[in-house]
Amino acid sequence: MKMTQDSYRLSHIRHYYGENKVLDIETLQIPQGSITGLSGPNGSGKSTLLKIMAFALKPTQGEVWLNGRQEFILSPRVRSRVTLLTQKPYLLKRSVFDNVAYGLKIRKDIKNINNRVKQALESVGLAYGFARRQWHELSGGEAQRVAMAARLILKPDVLLLDEPVASVDTKSAGLIRKASLAARKDWGCTLVIASHDLPWLNECSDTRLSITNGQIFSTGRENIIPPPYDLSHEDWPVKWLGSDKTGEQIRLPLRKNTQKFAVIQKEKICIRLERKSDNGYDNQITGKIISMHMEKRSGQIMATIHAKDFTMDIGFSLAQARSLGLLPGKKLILMFRSQEVEWR
Ligand code: ADP
């Protein structure tokens, strides 16, 4: 795969809804032809970021560069390069054919249109017979696949996917995932995928980003311990796991007023099957593996681990995975020192 230049460069992006600052991104670069997986809790700013990247929303402040050129609005040039698929598909109140062919007709690019509609429908597992159906004759999953076909037919440079498989049936989800990867393989499409489906993101992404309260963190090397934070009886910052504040807690170092987020580097986290005292790890929290995959670049096993209400990504060697019998579903103890948690 050839990665020549950046598809996107965002700088100094801030976005406010009224008084409420919902995005604060100093810089973000996304190489052409790459797949970026974006995760984060509801309300963290994923949709707002994707709308800004789709030029459907103008950020309150900051610059968005697309293919090396600063762009401002959804001009015809931008419209032909970038497309956004949202969780709830927006279809025209017309036939499937009209929906899929719409973008090409706008561009007056109608050569072989029947064949291209057929191919686009087939790429999401729909037979050409579907083209005659009306918009209201589709299941939710089929409607989402039609919306995906309507984007793929344009062969965009960038496909932005906002929770594309969150509310569709398993078969449609599989077909949408497959069609997304094919877009990158067939014409080097850049993909940015916001999803709660972490196993999928881990499997397909070149870069994983997490977003919390409008700020971006790389999940490549670090894990964010998300707010809110509390103070312990001894006035020490802590993060409770679970909203009832009775279970486990993570001890955090002291912080300055300006520091907002606690971050722990992956390599500082050690995994064991049981707690152990007197080993210097003042944080020993219970987690459960929800998915594992082999990272080709490093040869390491990467695992996504749930610890009550947040998720961490951790890497370990194949030998360690074997010796501890690590598999999805396995419970384990994550150990790290509070002093190694950084405040940002
Ligand atoms: P996510 O996609 O991660 O769930 P969003 O980008 O949708 O997050 O939302 C980020 C924050 O902005 C949330 O607090 C949400 O309530 C708020 N928000 C989103 N859209 C609007 C809007 N049109 N007007 C006011 N607030 C909004």
Side-chain angles (χ1 to χ4, degrees):
M1 186 184 27
K2 203 169 146 205
M3 289 194 191
T4 42
Q5 63 166 335
D6 285 332
S7 234
Y8 279 97
R9 187 154 60 80
L10 272 61
S11 49
H12 315 299
I13 297 285
R14 319 263 183 275
H15 191 72
Y16 292 79
Y17 290 113
E19 301 273 284
N20 191 13
K21 180 156 80 169
V22 299
L23 267 192
D24 188 345
I25 299 172
E26 208 34 52
T27 167
L28 175 64
Q29 277 161 281
I30 296 187
Q32 276 182 358
S34 63
I35 303 184
T36 303
L38 184 64
S39 58
N42 287 335
S44 56
K46 301 183 293 297
S47 297
T48 304
L49 175 60
L50 291 186
K51 281 184 204 150
I52 287 173
M53 292 172 79
F55 300 92
L57 179 69
K58 192 175 176 334
T60 317
Q61 292 167 17
E63 298 169 6
V64 184
W65 295 67
L66 176 70
N67 297 339
R69 175 176 187 147
Q70 190 177 0
E71 303 283 359
F72 300 91
I73 49 157
L74 193 58
S75 61
R77 184 182 55 242
V78 170
R79 197 188 290 272
S80 65
R81 305 226 155 111
V82 179
T83 181
L84 169 69
L85 180 72
T86 52
Q87 182 175 347
K88 292 211 178 73
Y90 171 76
L91 293 183
L92 304 168
K93 294 187 171 163
R94 296 186 196 168
S95 69
V96 167
F97 183 94
D98 286 346
N99 268 284
V100 178
Y102 179 78
L104 291 183
K105 285 187 178 165
I106 291 277
R107 281 193 207 169
K108 299 193 171 56
D109 175 14
I110 53 173
K111 206 170 153 203
N112 288 333
I113 197 160
N114 292 349
N115 216 13
R116 287 155 85 187
V117 169
K118 179 167 182 272
Q119 274 180 10
L121 285 173
E122 281 170 355
S123 72
V124 291
L126 294 172
Y128 189 51
F130 256 86
R132 285 194 302 275
R133 291 221 195 161
Q134 291 301 312
W135 83 100
H136 55 82
E137 295 173 326
L138 304 169
S139 72
E142 286 162 356
Q144 184 68 314
R145 283 191 272 154
V146 168
M148 181 76 169
R151 280 147 187 81
L152 295 174
I153 199 168
L154 303 172
K155 295 213 171 10
D157 292 352
V158 182
L159 187 55
L160 305 166
L161 302 170
D162 191 358
E163 296 286 358
V165 297
S167 46
V168 301
D169 57 281
T170 317
K171 180 182 165 205
S172 294
L175 287 159
I176 288 167
R177 289 193 188 103
K178 201 170 142 210
S180 316
L181 290 186
R184 146 131 106 200
K185 188 162 162 274
D186 294 350
W187 68 87
C189 188
T190 305
L191 301 176
V192 182
I193 310 172
S195 179
H196 288 295
D197 186 344
L198 301 184
W200 176 37
L201 294 188
N202 280 334
E203 195 186 300
C204 73
S205 311
D206 303 306
T207 308
R208 282 264 282 102
L209 301 175
S210 77
I211 180 162
T212 299
N213 286 2
Q215 291 198 38
I216 285 195
F217 297 85
S218 158
T219 56
R221 292 189 334 272
E222 57 196 20
N223 284 292
I224 175 162
I225 301 169
Y229 311 110
D230 282 284
L231 286 179
S232 69
H233 296 309
E234 307 95 47
D235 275 350
W236 208 261
V238 292
K239 159 78 185 176
W240 285 101
L241 299 182
S243 51
D244 55 2
K245 301 187 182 176
T246 54
E248 293 180 82
Q249 55 169 230
I250 299 176
R251 265 174 81 93
L252 302 167
L254 289 171
R255 69 165 156 168
K256 298 194 189 108
N257 281 342
T258 50
Q259 296 176 317
K260 290 197 185 129
F261 295 101
V263 173
I264 176 88
Q265 303 291 324
K266 269 183 197 169
E267 75 244 23
K268 305 287 188 196
I269 303 173
C270 158
I271 345 173
R272 294 284 178 269
L273 295 183
E274 297 191 359
R275 287 199 166 70
K276 196 163 177 280
S277 53
D278 305 330
N279 62 359
Y281 290 106
D282 52 349
N283 284 310
Q284 305 203 4
I285 61 169
T286 316
K288 185 174 166 186
I289 302 179
I290 57 163
S291 70
M292 290 168 65
H293 75 285
M294 169 82 84
E295 189 182 64
K296 288 197 199 90
R297 191 167 39 88
S298 64
Q300 272 210 319
I301 308 274
M302 301 308 294
T304 301
I305 295 171
H306 265 328
K308 264 276 169 41
D309 48 359
F310 79 100
T311 307
M312 282 196 166
D313 285 318
I314 293 178
F316 39 77
S317 67
L318 194 56
Q320 196 181 13
R322 286 213 180 102
S323 72
L324 295 178
L326 301 179
L327 285 171
K330 182 105 177 169
K331 283 205 173 146
L332 36 74
I333 307 296
L334 303 169
M335 299 187 185
F336 53 97
R337 296 180 176 86
S338 57
Q339 289 316 316
E340 287 181 331
V341 174
E342 299 160 38
W343 284 106
R344 302 269 171 84

